[in-house]
Amino acid sequence: MVHTSLDKIIALQRKTSHIRNLCILAHVDHGKTTLADCLVASNGIISSRLAGKLRYLDSREDEQIRGITMKSSAISLHYATGEEEYLINLIDSPGHVDFSSEVSTAVRLCDGAIVVVDAVEGVCPQTQVVLRQAWLENIRPVLVINKIDRLIIELKLTSQEAYTHLQKILEQVNAVTGALFTSKVLEERAEKAAEEEGSSVNSDGEQVYDWSAGLEETDDSHLYFSPDQGNVVFASAIDGWGFSIHQFAQIYSQKMGIRSDVLLKTLWGDFYLNAKAKKIMKGAQSKGKKPLFVQLVLDNIWSLYENVVTRRDKEKVEKMVTSLGVKVTARDLRHSDPKVLLSAICSQWLPVSRAVLSMVCEKLPSPLDISAERVEKLMSVGSRRFDSLPDQTQQLKNAFLKCGNDNSAPVIVFVSKMFSVDSKALPQNKQRPLTQEEISQRRELARQRHAQRQAANQDPENTANQDVENTETANTGAATQTAGVNSSLNSTDTLCAQAEALSVKSTGPEEEDWKEHFVAFARVYSGIVKKGQKAFVLGPKYDPALALKSLPEGCSVTEDFPSVPHMACCTLDNLYLLMGRELEELEEVPSGNVLGIGGMEDFILKSATISTSPACPPFTPLNFEATPIVRVAVEPKHPSEMPKLVRGMKLLNQADPCVEVLIQETGEHVLVTAGEVHLQRCLDDLRERFAKIEISASDPIIPFRETVIRPPKVDMVNEELGKQQKVAVIHQVKEEQAKNPEGMQVDPSGLVTLTTPNKMATVSVRAIPLPEEVTRLLEANAELIRTMEQFSLCAREGKTLDINQKTLELIQDLKDKLESHLQGHKWRNAVNRIWSFGPKRCGPNVLLNSVEGYQRPSVWQCLQCEREKEKGRGTTLRDFDNSIVSGFQLATLAGPMCEEPLMGVCFSVEKWEMTLPTQLLHQVSVEEDSVSQRSSTETSDRKDGDFAEKTDEELQGGSETDMPSSSSGSTQSKRKTDAVGGLMDCYGPFSGQLIAAMKEACRNAFQAKPQRLMAAMYTCEIMATAEVLGRVYAVLSKREGRVLNEEMKEGTDIFIIKAVLPVAESFGFAHEIRKRTSGLASPQLVFSHWEVISSDPFWVPTTEEEYLHFGEKADSVNQALKYVNSVRKRKGLYVEEKIVEHAEKQRTLSKNK
């Protein structure tokens, strides 16, 4: 419990083999921060009595109020066991699903993790998520089963029942780990099988099949959690106790005379103690005997709780205290709260900090034990394989594995996030203690002041006692004395000012400039980082292969070097030791340590790699589990404060790993957050820390998608369409045809034909719904599609874009999957006829080329086989091809129902005829093509570029969406006007007319089919007891939720309900469910998928059955129409609604005579 000095921690930082970097992971409210408090208390930083109440690592005010962790924070602890001393860099992470991005930032910097599981609730959704994150980052977990006191006090289980319950929890955790392991082995097996495909035919020419999955020969014994392996601790952090079976094995080996290694193997499992034979036997369950774990371990803890908490038997408590050999103060024995006495006994008998920290030091790896597989994974950005990196880059792998502390090793640091710090919390701004000289100087000043005050007080008395005769003399003397006092006072003030200047730095400039300070949360993987050192900052898109070509050989940071994309040079101004709420200044940090770096806000937006070697690749981007889905528009209460809001949003974007900041086309400043709690925290931060102004936030902006479906076979009352007797049918088709503008024809089959205003071109388009699997596939592979698009653009410009083999394999796989899903007569050869994807050239909609005789270059031309086919066919781009694509992009970006993006729609262009003056066509197409390519390239660069490069423009007048066709509209029309001349008529440039015609044709083709709205859906998991189950169902049904399944947790009265809930209905859902169930149920909402709302937003009753069922006006609430109208109102579009219908005179009862 002795407070560890800073010098001790600095000395331990050099012993890399004795460093443990670990994070605490768990579901929300499973006791991570309480456990962290116990570990912090072991170093004397906080009192052990306050552990669990103080929540030391929750330093934000809203964290303390809500009782949940919202950010990951680090602290360095010292732990000594025997002669060995260890440095534990502990990171506490949030458990709430809204802050799972903070978990990703913590996991990346660690080598191991403590997974905490509640003994009552068991494995929850977020437990599975954190186990998967640990698995993906290749870090080793250990398990702490916490809150075992709840089994005794709340569930009132016997020790035997508790043992069975704990076994089940271990099985659940191991099942999750096993599933992750199995999927990995099967993936490796599939890759191996693909390589050996050619060699699987035997000499007789028959194919040989190997049905084994590869799991039989793979060793997975080290993966699982088992108390006898020493990677499980049973604990109650709030009561301050915890143990591993190693501790009890040592205790009982001395008492019973049984070897500790035998006890280690038998304390957990189906073993019992035969008292007569004094032997440990197998088969406790079959013989009805108490297992050894129950008899020797749990029974002791149960009897302690029974005597201290339940019965409060003083005599037995005193006997137990004596037999355990612990010292308890009289005050604790007399305390009215039995938990105080319990924690006083337990924290001495089985301190949780000793159990957990000894397990961490034994079972978790040091930075020196980093695996080669993990290093290769970190260095392989995107789809690049480690083998394809330059030789100099591959050589850096040895620096990672050595984790060297010598000056010759290259410095490699990864920054996982930036966090904001109040300027007063920085060590250089803290009031430092005075030196002995300054103290003596101040003492002297105080004496002088005291003497002067006394002299000033005595002066009037002396003058009053003087004779009248000596008045002049007295006056002269007094004047002289006063002048002396004044001069001495002046000299004193000067000395005082000097002393204060020595002791405290002036804070004037800091108060004037309210600039927020950012500290980079980082880890050193190689070399020694020194204060004031220069290094390269490598952005996520930095390519070492390109940099090594452009930079001179042996280039160092100190030299002048040519500018390289996504690389900057910076100075590491300040290095900090992270101590929870405090920061300590350091001069240097050796490899393997977690640290804070100051002064990086101008170089790093969210995460980056820092290195002294230009050959170092940027690390793989962080793996975020939560998708930002909740949007709000924010504006200042006073419009004059808009610049402060813009600046505050920039700072918020930098300080939060998950938040997104954008400006919509309407000019609204939009925050995109992961959920309701995250949104509230971001708005509070904007008001109080970053913008420091009053802001007003809109209602959440709900995202929707628009789609078309196949014509339904039954109507709204489940009658087959076409068989009912139609009465008073509204001739909708005729009305729609009358509404059609001039030059448009709509075929009964849904084919829309549109002519440009100058009658020079005609386009025919049909909308077809894509199968659901295809939509999901396109949405999941947006990055691959963007790569294909970039390759096509480069090919048109005559350039070559190198794509590595793994990406080409993924593109081929995507093509094969699309071909397998798009089967049937209408999709024949559809994959090879794909013209473009949209919106933004990579979305889940497809433009299909069904124009007879038009062979254009394929979107799959990056594949070798496609290039060979095209050479044989001699494909060329037709004039104004890009105008058709641009029209499609605009149509898919904003649909006709409520200007939301389209999803899962295929537009097939079946006719495209043009009658243009031939002498100008070639010139036009060349000009148009070059402009469109440039604009598209700029769009993709802007989309993929670092936010650090684009934030200024985006926040001052950028746009939320990148529209390739319109981004360079003015330049394009100007160039075409100059080049075309004759094609420019009263309707404007011809390419513009064609874009508009294609857009309108797509929109009308969409409206010719049955339209539907798609809503974003959350998966919702709720844990509730039986008595509040009905209220949970009531809240779900009120909010359009749909229950998927319900199961009861074995051994408890808790039900687990899995449901889906529209995002639009989710605001206030958690609060309402807690209110209705008196806090007994709490939901976890995670974005899952997009779902079609089955009801037609524009449906009206047309058959007799529908009239009977819904009435003439059909005024029951149409959920889809309600959503459409709310979005249209928000966007300022026309909404068709009647304010008052069938108004009658209102009469009160008193006048009703």
Side-chain angles (χ1 to χ4, degrees):
M1 270 285 286
V2 181
H3 185 61
T4 311
S5 68
L6 181 61
D7 296 334
K8 184 78 177 169
I9 287 175
I10 291 169
L12 285 169
Q13 283 187 336
R14 296 194 166 279
K15 295 182 183 176
T16 315
S17 59
H18 285 57
I19 294 171
R20 298 289 182 271
N21 296 316
L22 61 118
C23 51
I24 305 182
L25 308 174
H27 187 79
V28 67
D29 286 336
H30 277 203
K32 293 179 300 303
T33 309
T34 305
L35 178 63
D37 266 11
C38 294
L39 303 184
V40 170
S42 70
N43 267 227
I45 296 169
I46 62 170
S47 160
S48 57
R49 286 177 184 275
L50 291 175
K53 303 175 186 72
L54 187 64
R55 301 206 311 277
Y56 181 72
L57 293 178
D58 287 355
S59 54
R60 291 172 59 97
E61 191 182 347
D62 47 1
E63 286 179 318
Q64 292 286 346
I65 292 166
R66 282 183 181 269
I68 59 169
T69 306
M70 294 187 185
K71 59 161 190 6
S72 49
S73 47
I75 192 164
S76 294
L77 304 174
H78 166 245
Y79 176 66
T81 170
E83 293 180 5
E84 300 286 331
E85 288 187 309
Y86 292 91
L87 176 64
I88 313 284
N89 292 320
L90 179 77
I91 305 175
D92 183 27
S93 64
H96 197 284
V97 67
D98 282 11
F99 306 105
S100 60
S101 58
E102 291 279 348
V103 179
S104 306
T105 63
V107 167
R108 171 59 60 87
L109 304 184
C110 294
D111 302 306
I114 299 172
V115 178
V116 183
V117 176
D118 188 322
V120 174
E121 294 181 7
V123 175
C124 291
Q126 208 59 21
T127 316
Q128 296 179 14
V129 169
V130 296
L131 279 167
R132 185 165 67 248
Q133 281 181 310
W135 177 267
L136 290 171
E137 289 286 350
N138 284 40
I139 69 169
R140 196 181 300 167
V142 290
L143 183 67
V144 173
I145 299 178
N146 192 24
K147 302 192 181 183
I148 289 180
D149 58 297
R150 289 183 69 191
L151 301 178
I152 308 169
I153 294 166
E154 286 180 31
L155 298 188
K156 294 184 167 54
L157 299 182
T158 63
S159 54
Q160 181 70 49
E161 289 167 340
Y163 172 65
T164 313
H165 184 75
L166 291 171
Q167 277 183 315
K168 283 176 185 166
I169 287 174
L170 265 176
E171 283 169 20
Q172 289 170 2
V173 180
N174 286 332
V176 176
T177 312
L180 293 166
F181 172 71
T182 308
S183 64
K184 183 191 175 187
V185 172
L186 293 176
E187 269 177 37
E188 287 172 358
R189 176 81 182 163
E191 284 176 17
K192 197 176 174 185
E195 287 168 12
E196 295 172 357
E197 204 171 340
S199 58
S200 62
V201 178
N202 67 8
S203 56
D204 301 330
E206 294 176 3
Q207 186 135 14
V208 178
Y209 290 101
D210 180 9
W211 296 106
S212 71
L215 289 168
E216 297 84 2
E217 61 267 21
T218 314
D219 178 33
D220 59 350
S221 58
H222 64 284
L223 285 175
Y224 299 114
F225 300 105
S226 176
D228 54 359
Q229 283 189 16
N231 58 2
V232 179
V233 160
F234 303 93
S236 168
I238 196 74
D239 290 339
W241 63 265
F243 64 88
S244 63
I245 61 170
H246 284 240
Q247 289 169 264
F248 277 96
Q250 286 167 359
I251 293 167
Y252 284 109
S253 68
Q254 293 167 1
K255 283 190 178 181
M256 297 164 67
I258 301 171
R259 291 204 323 273
S260 61
D261 56 333
V262 173
L263 279 169
L264 267 178
K265 289 174 186 173
T266 55
L267 259 176
W268 181 264
D270 194 26
F271 299 95
Y272 72 98
L273 184 68
N274 187 330
K276 288 180 182 176
K278 291 189 177 180
K279 283 184 180 177
I280 293 171
M281 315 282 277
K282 201 170 184 182
Q285 192 174 358
S286 58
K287 293 174 183 173
K289 302 281 186 181
K290 266 189 185 181
L292 213 57
F293 186 74
V294 175
Q295 190 178 350
L296 300 184
V297 180
L298 294 186
D299 280 353
N300 290 322
I301 292 167
W302 256 245
S303 64
L304 180 66
Y305 268 83
E306 188 182 2
N307 291 314
V308 175
V309 180
T310 315
R311 291 185 183 173
R312 300 197 185 187
D313 190 332
K314 283 186 180 180
E315 287 181 13
K316 282 197 175 180
V317 169
E318 283 171 7
K319 280 182 185 176
M320 288 176 118
V321 167
T322 311
S323 64
L324 291 172
V326 296
K327 291 179 181 178
V328 181
T329 61
R331 188 182 68 175
D332 288 340
L333 282 166
R334 289 196 304 270
H335 205 285
S336 58
D337 183 3
K339 282 280 188 148
V340 173
L341 176 59
L342 182 77
S343 62
I345 297 169
C346 292
S347 59
Q348 292 177 65
W349 177 39
L350 300 169
V352 68
S353 57
R354 189 177 68 199
V356 172
L357 292 177
S358 61
M359 173 177 70
V360 161
C361 296
E362 284 173 32
K363 295 296 170 186
L364 295 187
S366 74
L368 289 172
D369 302 326
I370 189 167
S371 66
E373 183 191 1
R374 188 183 180 197
V375 171
E376 288 183 15
K377 202 172 177 182
L378 286 175
M379 293 174 80
S380 306
V381 183
S383 51
R384 291 197 72 162
R385 285 188 177 177
F386 181 74
D387 310 338
S388 67
L389 293 167
D391 291 338
Q392 285 174 268
T393 304
Q394 290 188 39
Q395 285 165 16
L396 286 174
K397 178 183 171 183
N398 298 325
F400 271 95
L401 295 172
K402 279 182 186 172
C403 200
N405 277 343
D406 51 342
N407 292 320
S408 60
V411 171
I412 302 171
V413 178
F414 180 71
V415 175
S416 70
K417 69 166 185 174
M418 302 289 286
F419 64 96
S420 63
V421 174
D422 189 8
S423 57
K424 292 173 188 172
L426 293 174
Q428 58 265 34
N429 294 340
K430 283 183 183 172
Q431 190 168 344
R432 60 183 177 80
L434 299 174
T435 62
Q436 285 299 323
E437 290 175 12
E438 288 166 355
I439 290 169
S440 60
Q441 197 173 10
R442 287 197 168 194
R443 193 186 299 120
E444 190 57 42
L445 281 168
R447 281 179 186 155
Q448 283 184 23
R449 281 180 183 166
H450 182 64
Q452 284 157 11
R453 280 197 209 100
Q454 280 189 331
N457 290 338
Q458 287 170 9
D459 186 48
E461 293 171 18
N462 292 339
T463 48
N465 293 334
Q466 298 235 342
D467 292 330
V468 182
E469 296 170 25
N470 300 329
T471 305
E472 287 181 15
T473 315
N475 284 343
T476 310
T480 311
Q481 193 177 1
T482 309
V485 169
N486 288 340
S487 65
S488 64
L489 275 170
N490 289 337
S491 63
T492 307
D493 292 342
T494 312
L495 280 165
C496 186
Q498 286 171 357
E500 282 173 6
L502 276 168
S503 59
V504 184
K505 288 184 180 177
S506 172
T507 54
E510 284 294 333
E511 286 167 358
E512 287 168 25
D513 181 17
W514 49 274
K515 182 183 177 185
E516 197 74 26
H517 288 270
F518 282 91
V519 174
F521 191 44
R523 173 180 165 179
V524 188
Y525 283 88
S526 169
I528 300 178
V529 179
K530 296 181 180 176
K531 187 176 176 180
Q533 186 176 13
K534 285 197 168 187
F536 296 118
V537 177
L538 314 174
K541 288 179 71 184
Y542 171 73
D543 186 353
L546 289 172
L548 290 171
K549 284 177 191 173
S550 58
L551 290 171
E553 200 169 331
C555 174
S556 70
V557 195
T558 50
E559 299 168 15
D560 291 332
F561 56 89
S563 64
V564 177
H566 311 291
M567 183 171 93
C569 181
C570 72
T571 305
L572 308 177
D573 293 338
N574 294 296
L575 305 178
Y576 301 115
L577 175 69
L578 305 171
M579 292 295 289
R581 302 179 183 190
E582 306 289 326
L583 294 172
E584 298 288 349
E585 212 161 2
L586 299 173
E587 289 303 313
E588 61 177 41
V589 180
S591 64
N593 286 288
V594 174
L595 79 158
I597 307 173
M600 302 301 290
E601 51 262 45
D602 297 330
F603 301 97
I604 300 172
L605 178 70
K606 296 197 179 202
S607 68
T609 309
I610 299 172
S611 179
T612 51
S613 168
C616 180
F619 280 31
T620 311
L622 293 168
N623 204 356
F624 289 154
E625 292 284 335
T627 314
I629 191 82
V630 180
R631 300 171 170 235
V632 290
V634 290
E635 60 181 19
K637 282 273 175 73
H638 308 291
S640 61
E641 293 178 327
M642 181 58 86
K644 287 184 181 178
L645 176 69
V646 169
R647 187 169 179 279
M649 287 179 81
K650 270 194 211 174
L651 294 172
L652 174 67
N653 179 56
Q654 195 168 14
D656 194 304
C658 191
V659 79
E660 288 176 17
V661 173
L662 8 120
I663 292 184
Q664 289 192 314
E665 292 156 331
T666 52
E668 291 175 303
H669 289 71
V670 174
L671 278 181
V672 192
T673 59
E676 224 180 329
V677 182
H678 186 210
L679 170 66
Q680 193 55 52
R681 191 195 81 171
C682 289
L683 291 174
D684 289 346
D685 277 355
L686 258 185
R687 287 190 188 101
E688 293 161 19
R689 297 182 68 180
F690 300 127
K692 296 190 179 178
I693 56 168
E694 286 185 52
I695 57 169
S696 52
S698 69
D699 290 335
I701 300 167
I702 316 296
F704 289 98
R705 297 287 182 266
E706 299 179 26
T707 191
V708 290
I709 59 165
R710 290 178 180 176
K713 292 179 181 176
V714 294
D715 66 2
M716 292 289 282
V717 284
N718 291 331
E719 293 275 338
E720 269 194 63
L721 286 169
K723 292 193 177 179
Q724 318 95 322
Q725 181 191 1
K726 295 215 170 190
V727 293
V729 174
I730 303 161
H731 298 288
Q732 291 166 315
V733 180
K734 286 184 182 176
E735 280 183 17
E736 280 171 15
Q737 281 180 344
K739 285 178 192 173
N740 288 340
E742 191 184 344
M744 183 189 290
Q745 295 171 350
V746 182
D747 193 84
S749 66
L751 183 70
V752 173
T753 307
L754 194 69
T755 309
T756 55
N758 61 6
K759 312 292 183 196
M760 285 186 182
T762 307
V763 183
S764 295
V765 181
R766 186 192 305 279
I768 310 162
L770 282 171
E772 196 177 328
E773 303 84 26
V774 174
T775 309
R776 279 204 298 267
L777 193 63
L778 293 177
E779 198 179 13
N781 290 284
E783 287 299 321
L784 274 183
I785 295 168
R786 193 178 290 125
T787 307
M788 286 159 48
E789 189 64 38
Q790 284 174 346
F791 185 91
S792 302
L793 288 169
C794 290
R796 268 181 250 170
E797 289 177 352
K799 297 176 186 174
T800 54
L801 180 71
D802 290 331
I803 300 178
N804 65 50
Q805 193 56 40
K806 190 176 179 185
T807 310
L808 291 172
E809 285 168 16
L810 291 169
I811 291 171
Q812 184 63 56
D813 185 45
L814 171 64
K815 190 184 177 191
D816 295 342
K817 282 180 182 172
L818 283 173
E819 282 171 346
S820 67
H821 290 313
L822 294 173
Q823 298 287 345
H825 173 69
K826 67 175 180 180
W827 296 113
R828 187 177 296 160
N829 201 28
V831 176
N832 289 317
R833 291 188 286 119
I834 291 174
W835 197 331
S836 180
F837 300 92
K840 302 182 186 177
R841 296 184 181 257
C842 61
N845 302 287
V846 172
L847 181 64
L848 217 56
N849 175 17
S850 304
V851 181
E852 280 184 31
Y854 179 29
Q855 296 284 341
R856 71 184 299 281
S858 166
V859 292
W860 309 101
Q861 61 185 309
C862 54
L863 301 173
Q864 188 66 34
C865 56
E866 290 297 325
R867 284 205 291 277
E868 285 166 9
K869 277 185 200 172
E870 284 177 12
K871 280 177 189 172
R873 287 197 304 243
T875 57
T876 53
L877 274 178
R878 194 169 164 185
D879 301 307
F880 295 104
D881 176 279
N882 200 61
S883 295
I884 296 290
V885 174
S886 298
F888 162 73
Q889 299 294 341
L890 287 170
T892 52
L893 192 64
M897 280 201 283
C898 53
E899 303 286 328
E900 288 288 298
L902 302 191
M903 190 173 195
V905 185
C906 170
F907 290 106
S908 175
V909 181
E910 301 195 356
K911 190 172 80 174
W912 176 25
E913 294 172 353
M914 289 194 298
T915 51
L916 295 170
T918 52
Q919 71 272 16
L920 292 165
L921 278 178
H922 180 68
Q923 191 183 358
V924 173
S925 64
V926 170
E927 282 290 327
E928 179 202 32
D929 210 27
S930 64
V931 171
S932 69
Q933 287 162 12
R934 197 176 298 111
S935 70
S936 301
T937 312
E938 285 165 8
T939 302
S940 64
D941 283 349
R942 262 205 326 274
K943 185 169 175 62
D944 293 339
D946 296 339
F947 195 93
E949 293 168 11
K950 69 176 183 178
T951 313
D952 292 328
E953 300 104 37
E954 215 178 51
L955 287 168
Q956 284 163 14
S959 115
E960 178 194 13
T961 54
D962 298 325
M963 291 182 287
S965 60
S966 60
S967 61
S968 61
S970 58
T971 318
Q972 198 169 343
S973 17
K974 184 175 184 295
R975 288 198 180 207
K976 263 187 244 129
T977 308
D978 299 341
V980 181
L983 288 181
M984 182 80 176
D985 52 27
C986 61
Y987 299 108
F990 176 69
S991 61
Q993 292 179 50
L994 193 55
I995 289 170
M998 180 64 190
K999 179 188 168 187
E1000 285 307 311
C1002 288
R1003 286 172 77 100
N1004 284 284
F1006 181 91
Q1007 288 175 300
K1009 294 279 178 181
Q1011 308 166 64
R1012 293 291 184 272
L1013 201 64
M1014 292 180 86
M1017 304 296 282
Y1018 277 136
T1019 49
C1020 171
E1021 190 149 320
I1022 305 166
M1023 299 182 81
T1025 50
E1027 60 263 26
V1028 295
L1029 213 55
R1031 296 175 205 168
V1032 170
Y1033 275 91
V1035 175
L1036 274 169
S1037 58
K1038 174 186 165 187
R1039 290 174 175 266
E1040 309 290 328
R1042 191 173 75 252
V1043 176
L1044 301 177
N1045 71 341
E1046 170 202 302
E1047 58 186 34
M1048 191 173 187
K1049 250 194 191 304
E1050 215 172 325
T1052 66
D1053 62 343
I1054 294 172
F1055 284 86
I1056 300 170
I1057 303 152
K1058 287 181 182 169
V1060 288
L1061 182 79
V1063 173
E1065 302 291 338
S1066 68
F1067 300 101
F1069 172 72
H1071 175 71
E1072 185 178 0
I1073 221 162
R1074 276 197 292 268
K1075 193 168 75 175
R1076 292 284 298 275
T1077 61
S1078 306
L1080 292 173
S1082 186
Q1084 282 272 304
L1085 300 171
V1086 186
F1087 175 69
S1088 170
H1089 63 286
W1090 295 92
E1091 192 173 282
V1092 177
I1093 298 171
S1094 56
S1095 55
D1096 181 357
F1098 306 114
W1099 175 82
V1100 287
T1102 55
T1103 65
E1104 190 173 358
E1105 289 86 354
E1106 287 175 346
Y1107 270 105
L1108 286 169
H1109 192 274
F1110 293 102
E1112 189 180 340
K1113 291 184 288 180
D1115 47 9
S1116 58
V1117 176
N1118 181 338
Q1119 196 66 27
L1121 184 62
K1122 189 178 94 175
Y1123 291 148
V1124 168
N1125 284 345
S1126 68
V1127 175
R1128 290 184 73 89
K1129 273 181 190 171
R1130 177 170 58 76
K1131 292 186 174 181
L1133 303 170
Y1134 171 69
V1135 178
E1136 190 177 333
E1137 61 178 353
K1138 292 175 183 174
I1139 307 300
V1140 177
E1141 191 174 3
H1142 306 305
E1144 293 176 2
K1145 184 182 176 186
Q1146 184 180 356
R1147 295 184 299 182
T1148 60
L1149 288 172
S1150 59
K1151 293 184 180 178
N1152 190 7
K1153 291 175 184 176

